């Protein structure tokens, strides 16, 4: 069993009797959480792909040209290949070859990088300026904070290290304004709060429920 097939099983969205059905189900994740929970975060261009015989439907192996690494220097300092399920119903990822640069996140298993639909993967030109700044330094500053999802009102933070993520209330899911423009960063006094701005984080305190 490949890692991402295992992920789908854990999500409870796949069954042996229904391989052909749409089965990939992912919980919404703020880009900062995706960054902090990934082994590898890179910007890269896909330059080739091939299908190998691994798993029930095979595995797509993309050859990439790594432009920049944001996370994973000790895990795998240079990534040349990424692996994903060939079937989208098993959360396999489809990427264009020789067309776009991508922001890619994933995990390392047996010396290989795996990614899929449940990872944060986006065309580089579709990222906001705030998201690019987050990748460079802001998200890293907030990895000790917790982003708490709010699906229905009322929602509350229950500890000083939480930021309330409310994109799902107004955007019927992700991505929303907080995903695109804010990072959850620890401020003076030990409290985590949403941050957006040009000044250093401790000079711009934003209430945990804002925006």
């Amino acid at each position: 069993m490949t890692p991402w097939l295992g992920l789908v099983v854990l999500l409870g969205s796949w069954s042996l009797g229904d391989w052909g059905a749409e089965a990939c189900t992912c919980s919404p994740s703020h880009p900062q959480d995706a960054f902090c929970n990934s082994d590898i975060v890179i910007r890269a261009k896909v330059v080739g792909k091939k299908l190998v015989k691994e798993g029930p439907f095979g595995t797509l192996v993309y050859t990439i040209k790594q432009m920049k690494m944001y996370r994973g220097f000790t895990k795998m300092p240079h990534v040349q290949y990424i692996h994903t399920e060939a079937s989208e119903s098993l959360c396999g990822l489809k990427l264009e070859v020789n067309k776009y640069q991508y922001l890619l996140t994933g995990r390392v298993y047996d010396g290989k990088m795996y990614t899929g639909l449940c990872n944060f993967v986006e065309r580089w030109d579709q990222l906001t300026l705030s998201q690019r700044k987050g990748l460079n330094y802001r998200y890293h500053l907030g990895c000790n904070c917790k982003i708490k999802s709010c699906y229905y009102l009322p929602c509350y933070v229950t500890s000083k290290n939480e930021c309330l993520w409310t994109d799902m209330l107004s955007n019927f899911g992700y991505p929303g304004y907080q995903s695109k423009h804010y990072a959850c960063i620890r401020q003076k006094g030990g409290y985590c709060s949403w941050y957006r701005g040009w000044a250093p984080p401790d000079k711009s305190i934003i209430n945990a429920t804002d925006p």
Side-chain angles (χ1 to χ4, degrees):
M1 179 181 291
T2 61
W4 295 112
L5 178 55
L7 173 62
V8 178
V9 174
L10 289 172
L11 288 169
S13 57
W14 173 82
S15 66
L16 288 171
D18 197 23
W19 278 4
E22 289 298 324
C24 183
T25 301
C26 309
S27 298
S29 178
H30 189 281
Q32 178 175 314
D33 273 346
F35 175 92
C36 295
N37 293 327
S38 295
D39 292 331
I40 302 290
V41 181
I42 56 174
R43 175 163 58 98
K45 185 174 184 179
V46 178
V47 295
K49 70 175 179 179
K50 65 178 179 180
L51 180 65
V52 298
K53 294 181 179 180
E54 292 179 5
F57 298 108
T59 298
L60 276 176
V61 180
Y62 290 101
T63 304
I64 63 168
K65 180 180 179 182
Q66 181 176 308
M67 305 295 185
K68 186 173 182 179
M69 175 167 279
Y70 302 94
R71 187 174 179 87
F73 300 97
T74 59
K75 286 275 188 177
M76 186 182 291
H78 184 77
V79 182
Q80 188 175 3
Y81 304 102
I82 58 172
H83 299 70
T84 189
E85 292 286 345
S87 171
E88 288 184 87
S89 65
L90 298 180
C91 300
L93 188 65
K94 305 300 182 188
L95 301 173
E96 299 280 354
V97 178
N98 290 318
K99 196 168 184 180
Y100 305 110
Q101 289 187 28
Y102 291 95
L103 186 280
L104 301 167
T105 68
R107 303 302 298 266
V108 175
Y109 297 93
D110 296 327
K112 301 175 182 178
M113 177 180 171
Y114 287 84
T115 190
L117 291 174
C118 292
N119 294 92
F120 182 48
V121 175
E122 184 60 86
R123 280 173 42 185
W124 184 256
D125 61 353
Q126 298 296 313
L127 295 177
T128 65
L129 178 61
S130 293
Q131 287 173 326
R132 296 183 189 188
K133 287 182 176 291
L135 293 166
N136 279 310
Y137 62 94
R138 290 178 183 167
Y139 292 160
H140 176 76
L141 293 176
C143 283
N144 290 326
C145 295
K146 180 181 178 181
I147 297 176
K148 184 176 182 179
S149 299
C150 175
Y151 296 96
Y152 306 100
L153 292 175
C155 298
Y156 307 98
V157 294
T158 55
S159 69
K160 68 179 185 179
N161 72 325
E162 292 181 344
C163 294
L164 196 60
W165 185 29
T166 59
D167 280 351
M168 285 71 71
L169 296 176
S170 57
N171 290 278
F172 304 101
Y174 142 94
Y177 198 74
Q178 287 171 307
S179 299
K180 293 178 179 178
H181 301 292
Y182 281 80
C184 176
I185 296 176
R186 191 176 301 278
Q187 309 288 349
K188 285 183 177 179
Y191 286 85
C192 293
S193 61
W194 292 114
Y195 169 75
R196 179 189 184 186
W198 299 98
D202 60 2
K203 294 183 180 179
S204 179
I205 305 299
I206 300 174
N207 187 276
T209 58
D210 177 38

